[in-house]
Amino acid sequence: YKSLGVDRRMEQVEAFKTRIEEIVHGDGSEAQLQKERSRLRQQIQQLESECALMENNLSFFRTSSSTNPLVQQQEDKIAAMREDIHMRKNKLKEIDKAIKNSRVQKTAETNENEKKSQD
């Protein structure tokens, strides 16, 4: 990934997509995808809560100079948290796509099996 110029976040998303595909194409069930989705949803909610708290706390320091290293450090942490939230939301979208595709595929297989049994 480094030789291709792909940053760390994209590398993580691609690795996650691969993991989801392995679940879908392996013996994985929709329940595994739902469990992963639930886990991600909890992480996102926790990070959003922490981010809101940090932003609230930071508002108390805004009256001081913006060159204050403590303020800058907190702003950097908040920005990193927002990027992490965004990445996890992208992962959540990938799971949703995989669940939808899995349902479509199962429906198609069921229809095909019904046609075969009718013949």
Side-chain angles (χ1 to χ4, degrees), residues 72-105:
Q72 187 60 45
Q73 182 183 22
Q74 290 301 310
E75 288 175 346
D76 292 344
K77 283 183 181 180
I78 290 170
M81 283 182 121
R82 286 185 181 150
E83 287 180 26
D84 194 22
I85 290 168
H86 181 72
M87 181 184 65
R88 290 173 197 267
K89 284 183 177 181
N90 285 339
K91 288 179 176 182
L92 200 59
K93 288 177 185 176
E94 290 300 320
I95 288 178
D96 289 341
K97 279 191 230 177
I99 290 171
K100 182 180 177 182
N101 290 340
S102 175
R103 288 178 181 167
V104 168
Q105 183 179 10

PDB file of all heavy atoms in Angstrom, residues 72-105:
ATOM      1  N   GLN A  72      -4.440  23.765  21.051  1.00  0.00           N
ATOM      2  CA  GLN A  72      -4.051  23.174  19.772  1.00  0.00           C
ATOM      3  C   GLN A  72      -4.027  21.654  19.848  1.00  0.00           C
ATOM      4  O   GLN A  72      -4.488  20.977  18.933  1.00  0.00           O
ATOM      5  CB  GLN A  72      -2.677  23.704  19.325  1.00  0.00           C
ATOM      6  CG  GLN A  72      -2.284  23.266  17.939  1.00  0.00           C
ATOM      7  CD  GLN A  72      -3.271  23.731  16.880  1.00  0.00           C
ATOM      8  OE1 GLN A  72      -3.698  24.873  16.871  1.00  0.00           O
ATOM      9  NE2 GLN A  72      -3.639  22.825  15.986  1.00  0.00           N
ATOM     10  N   GLN A  73      -3.524  21.117  20.946  1.00  0.00           N
ATOM     11  CA  GLN A  73      -3.464  19.673  21.127  1.00  0.00           C
ATOM     12  C   GLN A  73      -4.877  19.085  21.145  1.00  0.00           C
ATOM     13  O   GLN A  73      -5.135  18.061  20.512  1.00  0.00           O
ATOM     14  CB  GLN A  73      -2.733  19.342  22.427  1.00  0.00           C
ATOM     15  CG  GLN A  73      -2.580  17.870  22.689  1.00  0.00           C
ATOM     16  CD  GLN A  73      -1.915  17.596  24.024  1.00  0.00           C
ATOM     17  OE1 GLN A  73      -1.929  18.427  24.927  1.00  0.00           O
ATOM     18  NE2 GLN A  73      -1.328  16.413  24.150  1.00  0.00           N
ATOM     19  N   GLN A  74      -5.787  19.725  21.842  1.00  0.00           N
ATOM     20  CA  GLN A  74      -7.161  19.243  21.906  1.00  0.00           C
ATOM     21  C   GLN A  74      -7.848  19.341  20.536  1.00  0.00           C
ATOM     22  O   GLN A  74      -8.599  18.450  20.154  1.00  0.00           O
ATOM     23  CB  GLN A  74      -7.967  20.015  22.958  1.00  0.00           C
ATOM     24  CG  GLN A  74      -7.555  19.697  24.385  1.00  0.00           C
ATOM     25  CD  GLN A  74      -7.715  18.233  24.715  1.00  0.00           C
ATOM     26  OE1 GLN A  74      -8.761  17.643  24.479  1.00  0.00           O
ATOM     27  NE2 GLN A  74      -6.669  17.622  25.247  1.00  0.00           N
ATOM     28  N   GLU A  75      -7.586  20.420  19.809  1.00  0.00           N
ATOM     29  CA  GLU A  75      -8.155  20.565  18.469  1.00  0.00           C
ATOM     30  C   GLU A  75      -7.648  19.466  17.543  1.00  0.00           C
ATOM     31  O   GLU A  75      -8.407  18.927  16.724  1.00  0.00           O
ATOM     32  CB  GLU A  75      -7.848  21.951  17.899  1.00  0.00           C
ATOM     33  CG  GLU A  75      -8.643  23.056  18.565  1.00  0.00           C
ATOM     34  CD  GLU A  75      -8.268  24.443  18.089  1.00  0.00           C
ATOM     35  OE1 GLU A  75      -7.207  24.605  17.437  1.00  0.00           O
ATOM     36  OE2 GLU A  75      -9.039  25.367  18.371  1.00  0.00           O
ATOM     37  N   ASP A  76      -6.373  19.122  17.675  1.00  0.00           N
ATOM     38  CA  ASP A  76      -5.801  18.038  16.875  1.00  0.00           C
ATOM     39  C   ASP A  76      -6.446  16.696  17.220  1.00  0.00           C
ATOM     40  O   ASP A  76      -6.747  15.885  16.334  1.00  0.00           O
ATOM     41  CB  ASP A  76      -4.286  17.952  17.063  1.00  0.00           C
ATOM     42  CG  ASP A  76      -3.549  19.146  16.478  1.00  0.00           C
ATOM     43  OD1 ASP A  76      -4.152  19.889  15.673  1.00  0.00           O
ATOM     44  OD2 ASP A  76      -2.366  19.347  16.837  1.00  0.00           O
ATOM     45  N   LYS A  77      -6.674  16.464  18.522  1.00  0.00           N
ATOM     46  CA  LYS A  77      -7.325  15.220  18.940  1.00  0.00           C
ATOM     47  C   LYS A  77      -8.748  15.137  18.411  1.00  0.00           C
ATOM     48  O   LYS A  77      -9.195  14.083  17.967  1.00  0.00           O
ATOM     49  CB  LYS A  77      -7.333  15.114  20.471  1.00  0.00           C
ATOM     50  CG  LYS A  77      -6.015  14.723  21.075  1.00  0.00           C
ATOM     51  CD  LYS A  77      -6.141  14.578  22.581  1.00  0.00           C
ATOM     52  CE  LYS A  77      -4.814  14.206  23.216  1.00  0.00           C
ATOM     53  NZ  LYS A  77      -4.931  14.066  24.689  1.00  0.00           N
ATOM     54  N   ILE A  78      -9.454  16.255  18.448  1.00  0.00           N
ATOM     55  CA  ILE A  78     -10.832  16.291  17.947  1.00  0.00           C
ATOM     56  C   ILE A  78     -10.855  16.005  16.446  1.00  0.00           C
ATOM     57  O   ILE A  78     -11.686  15.235  15.958  1.00  0.00           O
ATOM     58  CB  ILE A  78     -11.507  17.638  18.278  1.00  0.00           C
ATOM     59  CG1 ILE A  78     -11.751  17.739  19.787  1.00  0.00           C
ATOM     60  CG2 ILE A  78     -12.804  17.816  17.501  1.00  0.00           C
ATOM     61  CD1 ILE A  78     -12.182  19.115  20.261  1.00  0.00           C
ATOM     62  N   ALA A  79      -9.920  16.606  15.722  1.00  0.00           N
ATOM     63  CA  ALA A  79      -9.843  16.372  14.276  1.00  0.00           C
ATOM     64  C   ALA A  79      -9.557  14.898  13.981  1.00  0.00           C
ATOM     65  O   ALA A  79     -10.161  14.306  13.078  1.00  0.00           O
ATOM     66  CB  ALA A  79      -8.775  17.268  13.654  1.00  0.00           C
ATOM     67  N   ALA A  80      -8.660  14.297  14.757  1.00  0.00           N
ATOM     68  CA  ALA A  80      -8.340  12.879  14.566  1.00  0.00           C
ATOM     69  C   ALA A  80      -9.555  12.009  14.878  1.00  0.00           C
ATOM     70  O   ALA A  80      -9.829  11.033  14.172  1.00  0.00           O
ATOM     71  CB  ALA A  80      -7.165  12.483  15.453  1.00  0.00           C
ATOM     72  N   MET A  81     -10.299  12.382  15.907  1.00  0.00           N
ATOM     73  CA  MET A  81     -11.510  11.620  16.256  1.00  0.00           C
ATOM     74  C   MET A  81     -12.546  11.720  15.142  1.00  0.00           C
ATOM     75  O   MET A  81     -13.204  10.740  14.814  1.00  0.00           O
ATOM     76  CB  MET A  81     -12.118  12.130  17.564  1.00  0.00           C
ATOM     77  CG  MET A  81     -11.403  11.672  18.791  1.00  0.00           C
ATOM     78  SD  MET A  81     -12.261  12.311  20.236  1.00  0.00           S
ATOM     79  CE  MET A  81     -12.633  10.775  21.027  1.00  0.00           C
ATOM     80  N   ARG A  82     -12.695  12.890  14.578  1.00  0.00           N
ATOM     81  CA  ARG A  82     -13.651  13.065  13.483  1.00  0.00           C
ATOM     82  C   ARG A  82     -13.272  12.210  12.279  1.00  0.00           C
ATOM     83  O   ARG A  82     -14.138  11.627  11.621  1.00  0.00           O
ATOM     84  CB  ARG A  82     -13.738  14.532  13.081  1.00  0.00           C
ATOM     85  CG  ARG A  82     -14.507  15.362  14.087  1.00  0.00           C
ATOM     86  CD  ARG A  82     -14.677  16.767  13.595  1.00  0.00           C
ATOM     87  NE  ARG A  82     -15.404  17.554  14.584  1.00  0.00           N
ATOM     88  CZ  ARG A  82     -15.243  18.840  14.764  1.00  0.00           C
ATOM     89  NH1 ARG A  82     -14.375  19.511  14.033  1.00  0.00           N
ATOM     90  NH2 ARG A  82     -15.942  19.478  15.671  1.00  0.00           N
ATOM     91  N   GLU A  83     -11.978  12.143  11.981  1.00  0.00           N
ATOM     92  CA  GLU A  83     -11.516  11.290  10.880  1.00  0.00           C
ATOM     93  C   GLU A  83     -11.806   9.826  11.177  1.00  0.00           C
ATOM     94  O   GLU A  83     -12.233   9.070  10.296  1.00  0.00           O
ATOM     95  CB  GLU A  83     -10.018  11.487  10.644  1.00  0.00           C
ATOM     96  CG  GLU A  83      -9.675  12.794   9.983  1.00  0.00           C
ATOM     97  CD  GLU A  83      -8.180  12.954   9.754  1.00  0.00           C
ATOM     98  OE1 GLU A  83      -7.478  11.917   9.633  1.00  0.00           O
ATOM     99  OE2 GLU A  83      -7.718  14.099   9.694  1.00  0.00           O
ATOM    100  N   ASP A  84     -11.587   9.429  12.433  1.00  0.00           N
ATOM    101  CA  ASP A  84     -11.853   8.056  12.846  1.00  0.00           C
ATOM    102  C   ASP A  84     -13.350   7.741  12.733  1.00  0.00           C
ATOM    103  O   ASP A  84     -13.729   6.671  12.255  1.00  0.00           O
ATOM    104  CB  ASP A  84     -11.371   7.843  14.276  1.00  0.00           C
ATOM    105  CG  ASP A  84     -11.301   6.377  14.670  1.00  0.00           C
ATOM    106  OD1 ASP A  84     -11.223   5.509  13.763  1.00  0.00           O
ATOM    107  OD2 ASP A  84     -11.323   6.093  15.881  1.00  0.00           O
ATOM    108  N   ILE A  85     -14.188   8.676  13.145  1.00  0.00           N
ATOM    109  CA  ILE A  85     -15.641   8.502  13.026  1.00  0.00           C
ATOM    110  C   ILE A  85     -16.022   8.343  11.561  1.00  0.00           C
ATOM    111  O   ILE A  85     -16.806   7.453  11.203  1.00  0.00           O
ATOM    112  CB  ILE A  85     -16.394   9.686  13.675  1.00  0.00           C
ATOM    113  CG1 ILE A  85     -16.230   9.642  15.199  1.00  0.00           C
ATOM    114  CG2 ILE A  85     -17.861   9.684  13.279  1.00  0.00           C
ATOM    115  CD1 ILE A  85     -16.691  10.913  15.908  1.00  0.00           C
ATOM    116  N   HIS A  86     -15.456   9.182  10.712  1.00  0.00           N
ATOM    117  CA  HIS A  86     -15.755   9.120   9.278  1.00  0.00           C
ATOM    118  C   HIS A  86     -15.353   7.761   8.699  1.00  0.00           C
ATOM    119  O   HIS A  86     -16.099   7.154   7.920  1.00  0.00           O
ATOM    120  CB  HIS A  86     -15.046  10.265   8.554  1.00  0.00           C
ATOM    121  CG  HIS A  86     -15.308  10.303   7.087  1.00  0.00           C
ATOM    122  ND1 HIS A  86     -16.512  10.680   6.560  1.00  0.00           N
ATOM    123  CD2 HIS A  86     -14.509   9.984   6.035  1.00  0.00           C
ATOM    124  CE1 HIS A  86     -16.451  10.596   5.247  1.00  0.00           C
ATOM    125  NE2 HIS A  86     -15.247  10.175   4.902  1.00  0.00           N
ATOM    126  N   MET A  87     -14.181   7.275   9.090  1.00  0.00           N
ATOM    127  CA  MET A  87     -13.701   5.990   8.597  1.00  0.00           C
ATOM    128  C   MET A  87     -14.638   4.867   9.051  1.00  0.00           C
ATOM    129  O   MET A  87     -14.998   3.990   8.267  1.00  0.00           O
ATOM    130  CB  MET A  87     -12.285   5.707   9.088  1.00  0.00           C
ATOM    131  CG  MET A  87     -11.725   4.390   8.576  1.00  0.00           C
ATOM    132  SD  MET A  87     -10.111   3.981   9.239  1.00  0.00           S
ATOM    133  CE  MET A  87     -10.487   3.758  10.966  1.00  0.00           C
ATOM    134  N   ARG A  88     -15.064   4.913  10.294  1.00  0.00           N
ATOM    135  CA  ARG A  88     -15.958   3.870  10.807  1.00  0.00           C
ATOM    136  C   ARG A  88     -17.329   3.941  10.128  1.00  0.00           C
ATOM    137  O   ARG A  88     -17.955   2.907   9.894  1.00  0.00           O
ATOM    138  CB  ARG A  88     -16.086   3.968  12.319  1.00  0.00           C
ATOM    139  CG  ARG A  88     -14.811   3.563  13.031  1.00  0.00           C
ATOM    140  CD  ARG A  88     -14.867   3.825  14.519  1.00  0.00           C
ATOM    141  NE  ARG A  88     -13.547   3.809  15.096  1.00  0.00           N
ATOM    142  CZ  ARG A  88     -12.963   2.746  15.630  1.00  0.00           C
ATOM    143  NH1 ARG A  88     -13.590   1.594  15.645  1.00  0.00           N
ATOM    144  NH2 ARG A  88     -11.760   2.827  16.137  1.00  0.00           N
ATOM    145  N   LYS A  89     -17.777   5.134   9.799  1.00  0.00           N
ATOM    146  CA  LYS A  89     -19.043   5.261   9.077  1.00  0.00           C
ATOM    147  C   LYS A  89     -18.916   4.665   7.678  1.00  0.00           C
ATOM    148  O   LYS A  89     -19.857   4.051   7.173  1.00  0.00           O
ATOM    149  CB  LYS A  89     -19.491   6.721   9.015  1.00  0.00           C
ATOM    150  CG  LYS A  89     -20.052   7.205  10.331  1.00  0.00           C
ATOM    151  CD  LYS A  89     -20.561   8.626  10.246  1.00  0.00           C
ATOM    152  CE  LYS A  89     -21.175   9.050  11.572  1.00  0.00           C
ATOM    153  NZ  LYS A  89     -21.712  10.423  11.532  1.00  0.00           N
ATOM    154  N   ASN A  90     -17.753   4.834   7.062  1.00  0.00           N
ATOM    155  CA  ASN A  90     -17.516   4.206   5.753  1.00  0.00           C
ATOM    156  C   ASN A  90     -17.542   2.683   5.880  1.00  0.00           C
ATOM    157  O   ASN A  90     -18.070   1.993   5.011  1.00  0.00           O
ATOM    158  CB  ASN A  90     -16.193   4.667   5.151  1.00  0.00           C
ATOM    159  CG  ASN A  90     -16.266   6.068   4.597  1.00  0.00           C
ATOM    160  OD1 ASN A  90     -17.350   6.576   4.307  1.00  0.00           O
ATOM    161  ND2 ASN A  90     -15.133   6.712   4.464  1.00  0.00           N
ATOM    162  N   LYS A  91     -16.977   2.166   6.951  1.00  0.00           N
ATOM    163  CA  LYS A  91     -17.010   0.728   7.189  1.00  0.00           C
ATOM    164  C   LYS A  91     -18.446   0.263   7.379  1.00  0.00           C
ATOM    165  O   LYS A  91     -18.835  -0.799   6.893  1.00  0.00           O
ATOM    166  CB  LYS A  91     -16.179   0.362   8.424  1.00  0.00           C
ATOM    167  CG  LYS A  91     -14.685   0.473   8.222  1.00  0.00           C
ATOM    168  CD  LYS A  91     -13.949   0.107   9.489  1.00  0.00           C
ATOM    169  CE  LYS A  91     -12.456   0.116   9.318  1.00  0.00           C
ATOM    170  NZ  LYS A  91     -11.755  -0.288  10.571  1.00  0.00           N
ATOM    171  N   LEU A  92     -19.224   1.054   8.077  1.00  0.00           N
ATOM    172  CA  LEU A  92     -20.630   0.733   8.298  1.00  0.00           C
ATOM    173  C   LEU A  92     -21.382   0.657   6.969  1.00  0.00           C
ATOM    174  O   LEU A  92     -22.198  -0.247   6.758  1.00  0.00           O
ATOM    175  CB  LEU A  92     -21.252   1.790   9.213  1.00  0.00           C
ATOM    176  CG  LEU A  92     -22.525   1.458   9.950  1.00  0.00           C
ATOM    177  CD1 LEU A  92     -22.332   0.254  10.854  1.00  0.00           C
ATOM    178  CD2 LEU A  92     -22.969   2.652  10.761  1.00  0.00           C
ATOM    179  N   LYS A  93     -21.074   1.574   6.066  1.00  0.00           N
ATOM    180  CA  LYS A  93     -21.691   1.555   4.734  1.00  0.00           C
ATOM    181  C   LYS A  93     -21.317   0.278   3.984  1.00  0.00           C
ATOM    182  O   LYS A  93     -22.149  -0.303   3.281  1.00  0.00           O
ATOM    183  CB  LYS A  93     -21.272   2.775   3.923  1.00  0.00           C
ATOM    184  CG  LYS A  93     -21.900   4.065   4.395  1.00  0.00           C
ATOM    185  CD  LYS A  93     -21.391   5.239   3.592  1.00  0.00           C
ATOM    186  CE  LYS A  93     -21.915   6.547   4.148  1.00  0.00           C
ATOM    187  NZ  LYS A  93     -21.370   7.715   3.438  1.00  0.00           N
ATOM    188  N   GLU A  94     -20.082  -0.153   4.124  1.00  0.00           N
ATOM    189  CA  GLU A  94     -19.639  -1.384   3.460  1.00  0.00           C
ATOM    190  C   GLU A  94     -20.391  -2.594   4.006  1.00  0.00           C
ATOM    191  O   GLU A  94     -20.772  -3.486   3.244  1.00  0.00           O
ATOM    192  CB  GLU A  94     -18.125  -1.581   3.618  1.00  0.00           C
ATOM    193  CG  GLU A  94     -17.295  -0.597   2.844  1.00  0.00           C
ATOM    194  CD  GLU A  94     -17.540  -0.649   1.349  1.00  0.00           C
ATOM    195  OE1 GLU A  94     -17.700  -1.756   0.797  1.00  0.00           O
ATOM    196  OE2 GLU A  94     -17.566   0.427   0.727  1.00  0.00           O
ATOM    197  N   ILE A  95     -20.621  -2.620   5.300  1.00  0.00           N
ATOM    198  CA  ILE A  95     -21.384  -3.721   5.891  1.00  0.00           C
ATOM    199  C   ILE A  95     -22.816  -3.693   5.374  1.00  0.00           C
ATOM    200  O   ILE A  95     -23.379  -4.727   5.018  1.00  0.00           O
ATOM    201  CB  ILE A  95     -21.361  -3.653   7.434  1.00  0.00           C
ATOM    202  CG1 ILE A  95     -19.980  -4.038   7.948  1.00  0.00           C
ATOM    203  CG2 ILE A  95     -22.417  -4.578   8.036  1.00  0.00           C
ATOM    204  CD1 ILE A  95     -19.827  -3.949   9.437  1.00  0.00           C
ATOM    205  N   ASP A  96     -23.404  -2.508   5.326  1.00  0.00           N
ATOM    206  CA  ASP A  96     -24.772  -2.389   4.822  1.00  0.00           C
ATOM    207  C   ASP A  96     -24.876  -2.890   3.382  1.00  0.00           C
ATOM    208  O   ASP A  96     -25.830  -3.582   3.026  1.00  0.00           O
ATOM    209  CB  ASP A  96     -25.272  -0.947   4.924  1.00  0.00           C
ATOM    210  CG  ASP A  96     -25.531  -0.512   6.364  1.00  0.00           C
ATOM    211  OD1 ASP A  96     -25.672  -1.397   7.239  1.00  0.00           O
ATOM    212  OD2 ASP A  96     -25.582   0.706   6.614  1.00  0.00           O
ATOM    213  N   LYS A  97     -23.885  -2.540   2.564  1.00  0.00           N
ATOM    214  CA  LYS A  97     -23.871  -3.034   1.176  1.00  0.00           C
ATOM    215  C   LYS A  97     -23.775  -4.552   1.140  1.00  0.00           C
ATOM    216  O   LYS A  97     -24.460  -5.204   0.364  1.00  0.00           O
ATOM    217  CB  LYS A  97     -22.675  -2.447   0.410  1.00  0.00           C
ATOM    218  CG  LYS A  97     -22.876  -1.060  -0.119  1.00  0.00           C
ATOM    219  CD  LYS A  97     -21.734  -0.734  -1.068  1.00  0.00           C
ATOM    220  CE  LYS A  97     -21.113   0.594  -0.727  1.00  0.00           C
ATOM    221  NZ  LYS A  97     -19.957   0.904  -1.570  1.00  0.00           N
ATOM    222  N   ALA A  98     -22.898  -5.097   1.985  1.00  0.00           N
ATOM    223  CA  ALA A  98     -22.707  -6.547   2.017  1.00  0.00           C
ATOM    224  C   ALA A  98     -23.981  -7.253   2.469  1.00  0.00           C
ATOM    225  O   ALA A  98     -24.349  -8.289   1.910  1.00  0.00           O
ATOM    226  CB  ALA A  98     -21.545  -6.908   2.943  1.00  0.00           C
ATOM    227  N   ILE A  99     -24.667  -6.694   3.456  1.00  0.00           N
ATOM    228  CA  ILE A  99     -25.920  -7.291   3.924  1.00  0.00           C
ATOM    229  C   ILE A  99     -26.961  -7.261   2.812  1.00  0.00           C
ATOM    230  O   ILE A  99     -27.640  -8.251   2.550  1.00  0.00           O
ATOM    231  CB  ILE A  99     -26.426  -6.573   5.194  1.00  0.00           C
ATOM    232  CG1 ILE A  99     -25.518  -6.895   6.385  1.00  0.00           C
ATOM    233  CG2 ILE A  99     -27.869  -6.959   5.501  1.00  0.00           C
ATOM    234  CD1 ILE A  99     -25.798  -6.070   7.617  1.00  0.00           C
ATOM    235  N   LYS A 100     -27.064  -6.120   2.145  1.00  0.00           N
ATOM    236  CA  LYS A 100     -28.034  -5.988   1.059  1.00  0.00           C
ATOM    237  C   LYS A 100     -27.720  -6.978  -0.056  1.00  0.00           C
ATOM    238  O   LYS A 100     -28.611  -7.674  -0.552  1.00  0.00           O
ATOM    239  CB  LYS A 100     -28.019  -4.565   0.522  1.00  0.00           C
ATOM    240  CG  LYS A 100     -29.013  -4.308  -0.580  1.00  0.00           C
ATOM    241  CD  LYS A 100     -28.954  -2.883  -1.071  1.00  0.00           C
ATOM    242  CE  LYS A 100     -29.908  -2.664  -2.228  1.00  0.00           C
ATOM    243  NZ  LYS A 100     -29.827  -1.296  -2.752  1.00  0.00           N
ATOM    244  N   ASN A 101     -26.456  -7.048  -0.465  1.00  0.00           N
ATOM    245  CA  ASN A 101     -26.060  -7.970  -1.532  1.00  0.00           C
ATOM    246  C   ASN A 101     -26.296  -9.427  -1.129  1.00  0.00           C
ATOM    247  O   ASN A 101     -26.700 -10.241  -1.947  1.00  0.00           O
ATOM    248  CB  ASN A 101     -24.599  -7.761  -1.912  1.00  0.00           C
ATOM    249  CG  ASN A 101     -24.380  -6.451  -2.620  1.00  0.00           C
ATOM    250  OD1 ASN A 101     -25.310  -5.851  -3.153  1.00  0.00           O
ATOM    251  ND2 ASN A 101     -23.154  -5.968  -2.610  1.00  0.00           N
ATOM    252  N   SER A 102     -26.043  -9.733   0.130  1.00  0.00           N
ATOM    253  CA  SER A 102     -26.257 -11.087   0.624  1.00  0.00           C
ATOM    254  C   SER A 102     -27.734 -11.452   0.552  1.00  0.00           C
ATOM    255  O   SER A 102     -28.089 -12.564   0.134  1.00  0.00           O
ATOM    256  CB  SER A 102     -25.762 -11.193   2.065  1.00  0.00           C
ATOM    257  OG  SER A 102     -26.049 -12.453   2.606  1.00  0.00           O
ATOM    258  N   ARG A 103     -28.592 -10.520   0.928  1.00  0.00           N
ATOM    259  CA  ARG A 103     -30.038 -10.777   0.873  1.00  0.00           C
ATOM    260  C   ARG A 103     -30.506 -10.955  -0.566  1.00  0.00           C
ATOM    261  O   ARG A 103     -31.310 -11.841  -0.861  1.00  0.00           O
ATOM    262  CB  ARG A 103     -30.798  -9.641   1.541  1.00  0.00           C
ATOM    263  CG  ARG A 103     -30.659  -9.643   3.047  1.00  0.00           C
ATOM    264  CD  ARG A 103     -31.387  -8.489   3.667  1.00  0.00           C
ATOM    265  NE  ARG A 103     -31.219  -8.512   5.116  1.00  0.00           N
ATOM    266  CZ  ARG A 103     -31.535  -7.513   5.911  1.00  0.00           C
ATOM    267  NH1 ARG A 103     -32.056  -6.402   5.413  1.00  0.00           N
ATOM    268  NH2 ARG A 103     -31.350  -7.613   7.208  1.00  0.00           N
ATOM    269  N   VAL A 104     -29.990 -10.127  -1.460  1.00  0.00           N
ATOM    270  CA  VAL A 104     -30.364 -10.232  -2.870  1.00  0.00           C
ATOM    271  C   VAL A 104     -29.914 -11.579  -3.428  1.00  0.00           C
ATOM    272  O   VAL A 104     -30.658 -12.249  -4.142  1.00  0.00           O
ATOM    273  CB  VAL A 104     -29.768  -9.054  -3.688  1.00  0.00           C
ATOM    274  CG1 VAL A 104     -29.880  -9.297  -5.183  1.00  0.00           C
ATOM    275  CG2 VAL A 104     -30.434  -7.748  -3.299  1.00  0.00           C
ATOM    276  N   GLN A 105     -28.701 -11.972  -3.077  1.00  0.00           N
ATOM    277  CA  GLN A 105     -28.165 -13.242  -3.565  1.00  0.00           C
ATOM    278  C   GLN A 105     -28.977 -14.416  -3.021  1.00  0.00           C
ATOM    279  O   GLN A 105     -29.302 -15.347  -3.758  1.00  0.00           O
ATOM    280  CB  GLN A 105     -26.702 -13.388  -3.161  1.00  0.00           C
ATOM    281  CG  GLN A 105     -26.046 -14.641  -3.691  1.00  0.00           C
ATOM    282  CD  GLN A 105     -24.591 -14.737  -3.296  1.00  0.00           C
ATOM    283  OE1 GLN A 105     -24.106 -13.956  -2.474  1.00  0.00           O
ATOM    284  NE2 GLN A 105     -23.900 -15.689  -3.864  1.00  0.00           N
TER     285      GLN A 105
END
